[in-house]
Amino acid sequence: FYLEVQENNLIEQTTVNKGLLKIGKELDIPLVASNDCHYLNKSDCEAHEVLLCIQTGRTINDPDRFRFKTDELYLKSPEEMEKRFSYSPSTLKNTIEITERCDVEIPFEKLNFPNFPLPPGEEDDSFLEKEALKGLEEKFEKSEKDKYYNRLRLELETIKKMGFASYFLIVSDFVMHAKKMGIPVGPGRGSAAGSLVAYTLGITNIDPLKYDLFFERFLNPERISPPDIDIDFCMEGRDEIIRYVTKKYGEKNVAQIITFGKMQAKAVVRDVGRVLDIPYKEVDKIAKLIPNTLNITLSQALKAEERLRKIVEESETIKKLIELALSLEGLVRHASTHAAGIVISEKPLVEYLPLYRGQNNEVITQFSMNDIEKIGLIKFDFLGLKTLTVINKTIKSIKEEIDIANIPLDDKETYALLSKGKTEGVFQLESQGMKDLLLKMKPDNFDDIIALLALYRPGPLGSGMVDEFIKRKQGKIPLEYELEQLEDILKDTYGVILYQEQVMQIASLLADFSPGDSDILRRAMGKKKAVEMKRQKKNFISGTTKNNIDKEKAEKIFNLMSRFAEYGFNKSHSAAYALIAYQTAYLKAHFNVEFMAALLTCEMGNTDKVIRHIAYCREQGIQILNPDINSSLKDFSPFDGKIRFGLAAVKNVGEAAIDSILHAREKDGEFTSIYDFCGRVDLRKVNRKVIESLIKCGAFDSTGAKRAQFMAVLDDAIENGQSVKRDRDSGQTSLFEIFPEGNNGKDKKVKYPDVGEWRENELLSFEKEAIGFYITSHPLVKYQKELSFIKNIDTEQLTGLEDGKDVKIGGIVTSIKEINTRKGDRMAFISLEDLKGFVEVIVFSEVFKSSSMIIRGEEPILVEGNLNREEEKIKIIASRINLLRDALTEKVESIHLNVNIENTTTGRLEDLYDILNKHKGDLPVYLHFIIPQRSETVVFLGDDSRLNPTSALYKDMETVFGPGALKLK
């Protein structure tokens, strides 16, 4: 591109700088415009200053913030350049000469597929056909082959015609390499699961004909675009596959893809608000008025939200905030590496595009994904899926042999687990909302799981489609079809048009649409393009008329398709991911301990999730054992119906230290004391810091002394261990001769000093320090029953609540950050931990004044406040904070019984009647009839039904109606 500026026209210079910013947005490159107020108007200058503050983490009022110490950062005029280079006039001439020599043409039509190495005498098309037919022979019985053979032929013809044979061969090659290396690969992802060729080549593992999946949903010969097969690999094996393709196609021909983080509407408002020192509450209020619509802009938000416009009109501060945010919105904030994208080219990549070094020195493209496709390069998505790692680790720890790809899809225990919503750790089914949906639907076949993944989205949930589906499944609404021919297509979804493929099938069956045309219809309906919809409706009615279908009936079906197509989901993707969901549920139903151990291992770096999973294990009666130098492996491991902590979960204990410990144990047996341990491990790798952490988390407990005693002799044990090594290296003595009398570790009982064990709170505190969470117990455990009476939520349940909801939650403060407000008052951000996880609590100055000593202490607290949803983050804005023990002694005025209508039977209501009669007392009782996410009806039971708040009442209510069934106010 080039910009032409009128000579000596300073007004035009402003236009140029604005133009540069605009071009930067379009090209995804951070072009710098002038920072000189002589050439820019005031608002432009302020925007650049604010941008600089965002980048450096400072505020505009900070006197020490970073500033440019020059006013030369602008596009200079020809006269200025002549003056600057007056000593060398040829310099300016040479720039023109260089420009004239530059002549780059980028072809946008040709696809540059990598060269797949073929056997002698083969071509891409012929070799693909051979491999696909070979896979067909291996996968299907003779009686089935005809229908599969015909489908395969049609797909192969399309692939050859479109010139994509080499693409399939390349993908099949690296997928099969992964399988040979024992690296788990997902059954499929996206529309590629609808391809029989992909299935026969081993790329996918789900039969597309069995589940009515369409190839044309993946590749449409009437809408030519490059194929896009995303592959899920085990997290631990993904890098190995990238190394494989790099070696096969050459380092110069393979690179990862760049991605640009941009300043989006909500984020830029928050960033600018922080820089301008506008109070958090005000900025948060503005950000939340921006609708939660994907890729919404500030301009669109101002048009859509009247309350936002009104605030901007009324407040000069907010008006300035929005003006600055508008000027910065869309700018590139940072560059990073795409999570999955890999580009493989025919020639060295430098012949197609510029390259860039990523944060970890990896080679990545300077063009983003969309631009790469425009210049004809082919991308491949290598995704790391943690669930595949969980499945793999679970299977390895199970004593019996399991072929996870061929488990029965009608297992009763698996569906019983799903129907009860016991889906902690189950792929795609573990959120609270999904658990509620499982309880309502009670799936009993694999098609129900496919449907679940398609239904659990904002569109179907908000449109009433989910309720209709469930009522039809449960027989509350009779199954009726507009035409008998539709039954075969819609019976698996109980007459509801749920999948995009169903729209395609109906168009093909009733109106004789070709597979390609039916896909175009599906796209038109999904995007609601009026002109295209009108044309498609005309074609549909014309086709149905030829098939003697009543016009009025045909129009009704078209409108029905159109209504559901808005929420229609890609069944190919849903079916493939439903298989992974089922596999994890199957393992959980039959091998719960092994499954949870694998899950804990894979989430080791996520403290919040580990705490939640440990809490779940305890609820299920699965004991979590401390790390142990004699029993622990590197990862969490199943142990006699319990789960033993892995050594890798202990802080400061690196891989080299773990290898040394395991090697010594394997070579000479269990460690008998801390002296024995220090004498046998490599103390260069297992240093003092490592041993301290092992002591604090209880890893030495099994050797028969107290943690305080281990710590008391630690220096002596290390010194003796070092002596052992020196003498062993010189060949002077054996291990059992070096220790002082009574402390030689193996053959005699070690004598420890007579010191008392650490207090319980110290034990727990040291455990937390060494591992990041509590194992032996938790400071809240002693308050667990009482806490259930007074809190109304835990950290796990917060995700299912709406923004602004009143909450009451108990926990302990694990970290605190105090800051000064603009007015000079103190406020704080605290991390609150309960038995299920963490949540951030914002304590503004007014609440901080009354609770600063409480939150700085070590005792459990009770926080009351409002839920605050900021993008994906959940926080609580505190309105009141008390010590938990004080809250427990506050006067209770009423008892509240919560009854979930959807899970309530006649028998449970009879149990409730018995509970009311059994626990007569003095406090008034309110009965809350709750329909989750819809309504809550409160009924006062009257003076004849007063109760006393006893542990027995709490236990009876929890037994019948589940956790949270009883609250006190």
Side-chain angles (χ1 to χ4, degrees), residues 310-475:
K310 189 175 179 184
I311 293 174
V312 171
E313 289 167 5
E314 292 175 351
S315 168
E316 283 298 319
T317 302
I318 302 303
K319 184 180 179 181
K320 182 179 179 182
L321 164 66
I322 296 298
E323 283 175 353
L324 288 167
L326 279 165
S327 65
L328 297 177
E329 183 185 18
L331 287 177
V332 172
R333 181 167 186 162
H334 62 271
S336 58
T337 306
H338 191 277
I342 303 287
V343 62
I344 307 174
S345 65
E346 180 185 5
K347 300 174 187 175
L349 281 165
V350 290
E351 296 190 28
Y352 302 100
L353 46 65
L355 299 174
Y356 173 80
R357 285 282 181 188
Q359 289 181 346
N360 299 316
N361 208 37
E362 72 274 24
V363 176
I364 59 178
T365 64
Q366 281 194 44
F367 286 4
S368 62
M369 190 166 57
N370 292 335
D371 293 327
I372 279 170
E373 291 174 349
K374 286 175 187 174
I375 63 171
L377 289 176
I378 308 301
K379 78 171 183 69
F380 300 82
D381 281 334
F382 295 58
L383 295 108
L385 186 61
K386 195 181 289 181
T387 302
L388 296 178
T389 313
V390 173
I391 291 171
N392 191 41
K393 287 184 180 295
T394 304
I395 291 169
K396 283 182 177 177
S397 67
I398 295 169
K399 292 176 182 176
E400 60 188 271
E401 194 171 322
I402 290 179
D403 181 3
I404 197 67
N406 292 302
I407 56 175
L409 296 181
D410 58 355
D411 181 67
K412 289 182 180 177
E413 287 88 346
T414 302
Y415 290 109
L417 176 138
L418 293 173
S419 295
K420 292 173 185 173
K422 294 187 177 296
T423 51
E424 182 77 15
V426 175
F427 182 64
Q428 300 270 295
L429 304 180
E430 63 175 330
S431 70
Q432 190 57 51
M434 187 59 92
K435 288 177 182 178
D436 292 340
L437 188 53
L438 285 162
L439 287 169
K440 288 189 216 174
M441 182 188 283
K442 304 204 177 299
D444 53 17
N445 61 75
F446 187 64
D447 284 310
D448 281 352
I449 302 176
I450 299 174
L452 264 169
L453 300 189
L455 286 167
Y456 192 68
R457 293 174 299 117
L461 287 168
S463 67
M465 188 175 177
V466 173
D467 291 334
E468 186 173 344
F469 184 96
I470 292 170
K471 286 174 183 176
R472 287 176 181 234
K473 172 179 166 57
Q474 295 172 350

Side-chain angles (χ1 to χ4, degrees), residues 40-68:
L40 287 172
N41 61 44
K42 189 178 177 184
S43 64
D44 287 327
C45 241
E46 282 182 315
H48 294 124
E49 292 290 294
V50 168
L51 182 60
L52 199 57
C53 288
I54 291 172
Q55 292 169 337
T56 55
R58 297 300 184 95
T59 65
I60 203 80
N61 297 320
D62 185 345
D64 298 322
R65 67 183 173 85
F66 176 75
R67 303 167 190 258
F68 287 120

Side-chain angles (χ1 to χ4, degrees), residues 492-510:
D492 290 338
T493 52
Y494 310 102
V496 174
I497 302 173
L498 178 58
Y499 307 117
Q500 295 165 353
E501 286 85 346
Q502 288 174 321
V503 171
M504 295 168 68
Q505 283 177 291
I506 293 170
S508 178
L509 177 70
L510 301 185

Side-chain angles (χ1 to χ4, degrees), residues 89 112 123 135 310 314 320 346 352 359 371 439 470 528 533 594 656 786 793 823 922 934 951:
N112 300 293
E123 293 184 354
K310 189 175 179 184
E314 292 175 351
K320 182 179 179 182
E346 180 185 5
Y352 302 100
Q359 289 181 346
D371 293 327
L439 287 169
I470 292 170
K528 296 292 179 190
M533 284 282 285
E594 291 84 353
E786 294 86 347
I793 207 76
K823 295 178 180 178
D922 304 315
R934 287 180 60 187
S951 295

Side-chain angles (χ1 to χ4, degrees), residues 2 37 92 171 183 200 208 214 332 463 481 493 507-508 614 621 712 729:
Y2 69 93
C37 291
L92 297 182
V171 176
I183 298 168
T200 57
F214 277 30
V332 172
S463 67
Y481 304 95
T493 52
S508 178
I614 287 175
D729 290 345

Side-chain angles (χ1 to χ4, degrees), residues 416-685:
L417 176 138
L418 293 173
S419 295
K420 292 173 185 173
K422 294 187 177 296
T423 51
E424 182 77 15
V426 175
F427 182 64
Q428 300 270 295
L429 304 180
E430 63 175 330
S431 70
Q432 190 57 51
M434 187 59 92
K435 288 177 182 178
D436 292 340
L437 188 53
L438 285 162
L439 287 169
K440 288 189 216 174
M441 182 188 283
K442 304 204 177 299
D444 53 17
N445 61 75
F446 187 64
D447 284 310
D448 281 352
I449 302 176
I450 299 174
L452 264 169
L453 300 189
L455 286 167
Y456 192 68
R457 293 174 299 117
L461 287 168
S463 67
M465 188 175 177
V466 173
D467 291 334
E468 186 173 344
F469 184 96
I470 292 170
K471 286 174 183 176
R472 287 176 181 234
K473 172 179 166 57
Q474 295 172 350
K476 295 175 182 176
I477 296 177
L479 300 186
E480 295 176 353
Y481 304 95
E482 294 296 331
L483 293 170
E484 286 182 15
Q485 300 98 300
L486 297 179
E487 185 172 354
D488 283 344
I489 298 172
L490 300 178
K491 64 184 178 183
D492 290 338
T493 52
Y494 310 102
V496 174
I497 302 173
L498 178 58
Y499 307 117
Q500 295 165 353
E501 286 85 346
Q502 288 174 321
V503 171
M504 295 168 68
Q505 283 177 291
I506 293 170
S508 178
L509 177 70
L510 301 185
D512 294 329
F513 274 43
S514 70
D517 285 337
S518 64
D519 183 55
I520 292 169
L521 169 68
R522 185 268 311 169
R523 285 171 61 83
M525 285 183 163
K527 295 191 174 182
K528 296 292 179 190
K529 292 185 176 179
V531 176
E532 182 63 20
M533 284 282 285
K534 189 175 180 182
R535 191 173 71 83
Q536 291 296 335
K537 185 173 183 179
K538 183 180 177 183
N539 293 342
F540 182 82
I541 300 301
S542 174
T544 53
T545 302
K546 289 177 186 174
N547 288 327
N548 299 317
I549 294 171
D550 179 70
K551 185 180 178 182
E552 189 176 328
K553 182 75 76 174
E555 284 190 343
K556 187 175 180 183
I557 291 170
F558 186 89
N559 292 334
L560 194 66
M561 288 163 63
S562 180
R563 180 166 74 89
F564 281 106
E566 186 177 351
Y567 309 117
F569 195 69
N570 180 349
K571 189 181 182 184
S572 297
H573 182 72
S574 197
Y577 267 25
L579 185 57
I580 303 177
Y582 181 87
Q583 288 170 347
T584 52
Y586 178 89
L587 291 173
K588 185 170 175 57
H590 293 276
F591 309 99
N592 194 20
V593 174
E594 291 84 353
F595 178 78
M596 291 307 298
L599 190 63
L600 282 162
T601 295
C602 291
E603 297 292 3
M604 208 181 290
N606 188 328
T607 302
D608 206 25
K609 285 194 174 181
V610 170
I611 289 173
R612 199 177 84 196
H613 294 327
I614 287 175
Y616 173 83
C617 287
R618 286 177 175 146
E619 288 170 8
Q620 297 298 303
I622 301 171
Q623 189 178 348
I624 304 291
L625 304 173
N626 287 65
D628 189 284
I629 56 169
N630 286 322
S631 307
S632 288
L633 302 176
K634 179 182 176 183
D635 296 334
F636 287 83
S637 54
F639 177 79
D640 195 22
K642 308 176 182 92
I643 294 176
R644 173 70 72 183
F645 243 85
L647 293 175
V650 184
K651 291 181 181 178
N652 304 316
V653 181
E655 202 160 320
I658 294 169
D659 289 342
S660 177
I661 294 167
L662 296 181
H663 174 73
R665 196 170 80 197
E666 188 177 337
K667 183 183 175 189
D668 295 316
E670 293 188 354
F671 303 104
T672 59
S673 71
I674 193 168
Y675 284 92
D676 178 37
F677 178 86
C678 290
R680 290 163 56 192
V681 300
D682 185 343
L683 290 174
R684 291 168 301 180
K685 298 172 183 175

